[in-house]
Amino acid sequence: MEYILHIVIMLNIYILLVLSANLPVGLANLLSICQAAFYGIGAYFSAYFLLQWNLPFVVVALIVMCLTGLCSLVVSFASVKLKGDYFVLATLAFQMIVFTILYNWTEVTRGPYGISGIPSVKLFGIISLSGIYGYFALTTVLSLIVILLFGNLKKSPFGRVLTAIRSDELTVLSIGRNPARFKNYAFFISAAFSGLAGLLYASYISYIDPTSFTLDESIFILTALFIGGIGNIKGPVFGALVVVVLPEILRFVGLPDAMAANLRQIIYGLILVLLMYFKPQGLMGELKIKN
Amino acid sequence: MLLKIKNITLSFAKGKDSFKILNGLNLDVPKGKITALIGGNGAGKTTLFNIISGFQKDFSGEISYCHCGLDPQPPLRLENLRADKISRLGIGRLFQSKGLLPHLTLLDNMKLCSNDTSGEFPFAYLFRNKKLLAIENEKEMKAKNILTQLFGENNKYLGMLNAMGCDFSYGEQRLLSLAGLFMGNYDLLLLDEPTAGVNPVYIENIKDIIRKMVAAGKTVLLIEHNMLFVKDLADIVAYMDDGQIKFTGTPNEIINNQEVKNSYLGIE
């Protein structure tokens, strides 16, 4: 039972991450490959506030989301006006910089040793949320709230402008909207919710180190997004389900451990190639992936 | 004059060579009239539109825009303004060969053309407060009214408000894009080849829509190659060649001009 609950908790965390990635990638047409950097920034800020201040969950969540969002402005202000590959390179650079800082600034992050003993979050400042059942409830409620929030965002006038930006930036400019401003908003929100996922991860696992927030992790989040599909809510949720549950199913196939990890990569690659050919909008997505 | 364009020069450099696209161009666009800009391919007509609407920078010259509301105000200089700011001043644009936004419904396409940006801040719509819902409803009503005025009572588009932009034919998309321009409070409309690729029935519809634009107090600056359309519609025609306005006059004066006949219309 605890094994299944653990999978659901990780699924809920990945739903947050993949939905966050969908906002810039799926709606605003910003192929960002630094989602894991925001996830990591959120996790490390959370570790600091939980270890040093032991603040209530809501307070830590708000602080972490704001700080991670502010960090996103470093990359978004400089790069949202870049197009296509140049934007991807800018986010790649940010991802590498964040990883290098997390890995080498040992006085603060403890570098490769990571930070251990991160306490569980305290709901309302009193009830310490320990144990897998508590995290199952918390992450499930939060992922449902985030699904509703992002659903509302997509249907809102803000979502309308983002969808328009994805289709044609020049037209958006010609009707008096500044696409760069909307892209900054999208990036900020995306980073803030990735930071929230970082908080949940850090407090649930109680140990973090930089290897959880590498470029591979960013690509993994994007893979989930592209498998599920971009532009709507059910696509990213389904994508998260596939990438979290698939490896667990493979465990029961009885493959040798040394082979299982490689096979997983091959399966993801194969799924992506097949999707590009036969279903470019992903399994449940609304929009086709643009070149 | 609503718009005064003075001595616009724009060059593109390629290697060591430099090509002058616009060469000291001057043009006055009078308020409440339809001015048609004609000229051969590559004469710089769309580039001029890009300059007016803020998409093309790095040119020299002056563009003064007299956005006269109720209060008389001094003309505004547009050269250094961003495209979105220029649009908010009241200059709308129909791009060449572009239709509706494909992934938005017809209604959302229309709503997006409105100048009212209320509710476009992230999560502003979260609590669906009465004011924002009222604004959204107003936009919907306005869109329906515009469609009714342009295409008649019970026209088919009223029943297709939730169809995606890409579900309409190209000709319909051009008509509906023009309809969208009524949603914004534009004083000057830049229409880049509105009839290109559109069938004769829709061309008549487009003519009606443009007349209704002028009747609604708007000024139209139009790029067009269809000379019958220009002759029927335009008050003033400006002939453009070599990056300059060579002749300006009534449609008949320009069509009967020998140089225009020889170099543009291909008539001896």
Side-chain angles (χ1 to χ4, degrees), chain B residues 6-11 20-25 51 57-62 243:
Chain B
K6 214 167 139 187
N7 203 23
I8 296 286
T9 299
L10 173 74
S11 304
K20 271 196 174 164
I21 307 297
L22 299 178
N23 187 11
L25 183 142
I51 286 174
K57 298 294 179 194
D58 301 324
F59 61 91
S60 63
E62 292 174 14

Side-chain angles (χ1 to χ4, degrees), chain A:
Chain A
M1 185 63 183
E2 289 198 350
Y3 168 64
I4 291 173
L5 289 180
H6 169 73
I7 294 169
V8 176
I9 291 168
M10 292 312 292
L11 170 64
N12 287 331
I13 291 173
Y14 273 94
I15 285 175
L16 257 64
L17 286 169
V18 182
L19 273 174
S20 302
N22 184 44
L23 199 59
V25 178
L27 289 176
N29 202 25
L30 294 167
L31 184 57
S32 152
I33 48 173
C34 61
Q35 220 60 32
F38 298 131
Y39 181 34
I41 289 169
Y44 274 84
F45 273 134
S46 306
Y48 174 77
F49 286 111
L50 289 171
L51 280 166
Q52 301 292 324
W53 300 83
N54 209 9
L55 295 167
F57 173 70
V58 177
V59 178
V60 180
L62 287 175
I63 294 173
V64 165
M65 287 173 78
C66 286
L67 289 174
T68 316
L70 288 174
C71 290
S72 79
L73 298 180
V74 173
V75 61
S76 72
F77 268 132
S79 56
V80 290
K81 286 183 181 169
L82 299 175
K83 303 268 183 235
D85 299 345
Y86 297 102
F87 178 80
V88 177
L89 286 174
T91 58
L92 173 66
F94 183 74
Q95 169 67 50
M96 302 314 286
I97 289 167
V98 170
F99 177 77
T100 307
I101 290 171
L102 295 181
Y103 203 82
N104 293 298
W105 197 9
T106 48
E107 293 85 355
V108 176
T109 65
R110 292 182 40 81
Y113 300 109
I115 299 173
S116 57
I118 300 167
S120 300
V121 291
K122 280 184 176 173
L123 288 181
F124 314 112
I126 313 161
I127 312 159
S128 183
L129 196 74
S130 56
I132 202 160
Y133 290 97
Y135 272 93
F136 166 73
L138 177 69
T139 56
T140 304
V141 169
L142 277 177
S143 71
L144 287 174
I145 291 172
V146 172
I147 286 170
L148 291 175
L149 275 177
F150 278 80
N152 178 280
L153 205 59
K154 183 177 183 307
K155 287 179 189 158
S156 71
F158 174 69
R160 186 163 66 210
V161 179
L162 282 190
T163 310
I165 288 171
R166 180 179 176 79
S167 297
D168 190 346
E169 239 176 83
L170 287 184
T171 299
V172 174
L173 264 171
S174 77
I175 50 175
R177 272 61 161 191
N178 180 3
R181 189 160 64 95
F182 285 90
K183 286 177 177 180
N184 280 322
Y185 289 152
F187 221 65
F188 184 96
I189 296 166
S190 170
F193 280 92
S194 298
L196 177 65
L199 161 63
L200 293 173
Y201 177 78
S203 65
Y204 169 59
I205 302 289
S206 79
Y207 169 79
I208 50 170
D209 74 286
T211 57
S212 301
F213 313 109
T214 58
L215 177 63
D216 283 359
E217 184 67 13
S218 283
I219 292 171
F220 183 68
I221 294 165
L222 281 183
T223 305
L225 180 61
F226 291 150
I227 289 174
I230 59 172
N232 59 7
I233 302 299
K234 62 184 176 186
V237 173
F238 188 71
L241 183 74
V242 170
V243 298
V244 172
V245 174
L246 185 70
E248 305 303 326
I249 293 171
L250 287 178
R251 279 178 205 268
F252 298 104
V253 178
L255 293 167
D257 285 350
M259 213 176 138
N262 294 333
L263 190 66
R264 195 176 70 169
Q265 302 292 333
I266 291 169
I267 289 173
Y268 289 151
L270 200 61
I271 291 174
L272 279 177
V273 171
L274 291 174
L275 278 176
M276 293 304 120
Y277 270 108
F278 299 109
K279 214 165 163 41
Q281 68 271 43
L283 293 173
M284 300 185 91
E286 188 177 293
L287 306 169
K288 285 186 183 176
I289 295 155
K290 274 193 172 181
N291 290 329

